[in-house]
Amino acid sequence: SAVISQKPSRDICQRGTSLTIQCQVDSQVTMMFWYRQQPGQSLTLIATANQGSEATYESGFVIDKFPISRPNLTFSTLTVSNMSPEDSSIYLCSVAWTANYEQYFGPGTRLTVT
Amino acid sequence: SQQGEEDPQALSIQEGENATMNCSYKTSINNLQWYRQNSGRGLVHLILIRSNEREKHSGRLRVTLDTSKKSSSLLITASRAADTASYFCATDAETSGSRLTFGEGTQLTVNP
């Protein structure tokens, strides 16, 4: 496994503002993903963070709302833009070294939008 | 659409008893992974079972996979109060490129 950190661990933000969440891994990984967990619910995949190219978004998620960067094999950011209370969730990054192997998750960022 | 469904949604048992959680899915998979989540924190990876495997063990955990029924089960033996958490299954579909689809989760409460 790897050590995966996320910053910030939690934040309270005003509606209409944006927040950038960072995900750092202590070793190079092939795949990185971003998930959202709304209150009391399961996890939903937002997008695959591709190193050096645009992220691949799942149905219902768009780049203007959730821009993602992945400048190298150990780091990625997710921005939640123009936030509304419906964006209040836990946001988690995950990593995998290769296909069909274990996927590990960061500790999550708990976001509350007021 | 949601790939995985888990049952029961909630399970309450006494310490020392066994806990069984079930997961069903809809499409062909490469693997199925089980995770634990304590109180809305990050997910802890428990075990991965590949589509060509039928059973796997790790400590007090036993996972089975029946691809003909598209279902899996997680058994926790001799449960402890510290096992209290939400448990999720996640499937890696054959065409998904490691993008996981999660079940709804089972909330397990182990009473001391």
Side-chain angles (χ1 to χ4, degrees):
Chain A
S1 63
V3 176
I4 308 168
S5 59
Q6 285 187 231
K7 290 181 181 179
S9 59
R10 58 176 62 221
D11 207 342
I12 301 173
C13 300
Q14 299 288 325
R15 91 172 49 217
T17 63
S18 298
L19 176 72
T20 295
I21 301 167
Q22 299 180 1
C23 178
Q24 179 77 53
V25 192
D26 68 347
S27 62
Q28 293 186 342
V29 293
T30 305
M31 290 169 274
M32 295 183 79
F33 304 92
W34 287 97
Y35 291 81
R36 179 178 74 181
Q37 185 177 29
Q38 295 177 299
Q41 297 190 26
S42 186
L43 283 78
T44 301
L45 179 64
I46 298 172
T48 303
N50 300 308
Q51 193 263 326
S53 64
E54 192 171 287
T56 305
Y57 291 84
E58 299 300 306
S59 176
F61 298 95
V62 295
I63 187 172
D64 289 346
K65 176 67 176 177
F66 297 101
I68 288 170
S69 78
R70 190 179 172 194
N72 56 52
L73 294 177
T74 64
F75 184 78
S76 178
T77 67
L78 167 73
T79 299
V80 186
S81 302
N82 189 25
M83 287 183 285
S84 67
E86 291 71 36
D87 294 319
S88 296
S89 297
I90 300 173
Y91 293 86
L92 302 103
C93 66
S94 71
V95 305
W97 279 265
T98 186
N100 204 17
Y101 277 80
E102 289 81 356
Q103 192 166 132
Y104 296 99
F105 283 77
T109 295
R110 183 182 293 272
L111 170 63
T112 302
V113 184
T114 61
Chain B
S1 62
Q2 183 63 42
Q3 166 82 317
E5 297 180 359
E6 293 181 61
D7 75 271
Q9 289 187 331
L11 180 61
S12 182
I13 59 174
Q14 296 299 122
E15 222 170 15
E17 293 180 340
N18 295 342
T20 300
M21 289 160 268
N22 302 296
C23 169
S24 62
Y25 57 92
K26 297 177 182 176
T27 63
S28 296
I29 60 172
N30 290 320
N31 64 66
L32 186 147
Q33 302 182 54
W34 285 91
Y35 293 88
R36 183 184 74 227
Q37 185 178 42
N38 293 81
S39 300
R41 298 177 187 169
L43 271 68
V44 174
H45 188 276
L46 297 177
I47 201 163
L48 177 151
I49 187 165
R50 291 190 172 80
S51 61
N52 60 353
E53 298 175 311
R54 292 297 166 260
E55 187 171 313
K56 221 168 175 181
H57 298 254
S58 177
R60 293 184 296 114
L61 306 180
R62 172 178 169 254
V63 168
T64 62
L65 179 65
D66 187 335
T67 53
S68 66
K69 295 181 180 178
K70 293 186 167 57
S71 67
S72 175
S73 67
L74 170 67
L75 168 67
I76 304 174
T77 60
S79 63
R80 306 166 182 168
D83 295 328
T84 295
S86 294
Y87 291 82
F88 294 92
C89 68
T91 52
D92 176 359
E94 282 184 351
T95 57
S96 76
S98 296
R99 289 145 47 222
L100 297 181
T101 302
F102 279 79
E104 297 301 322
T106 294
Q107 172 61 50
L108 173 66
T109 301
V110 182
N111 301 298

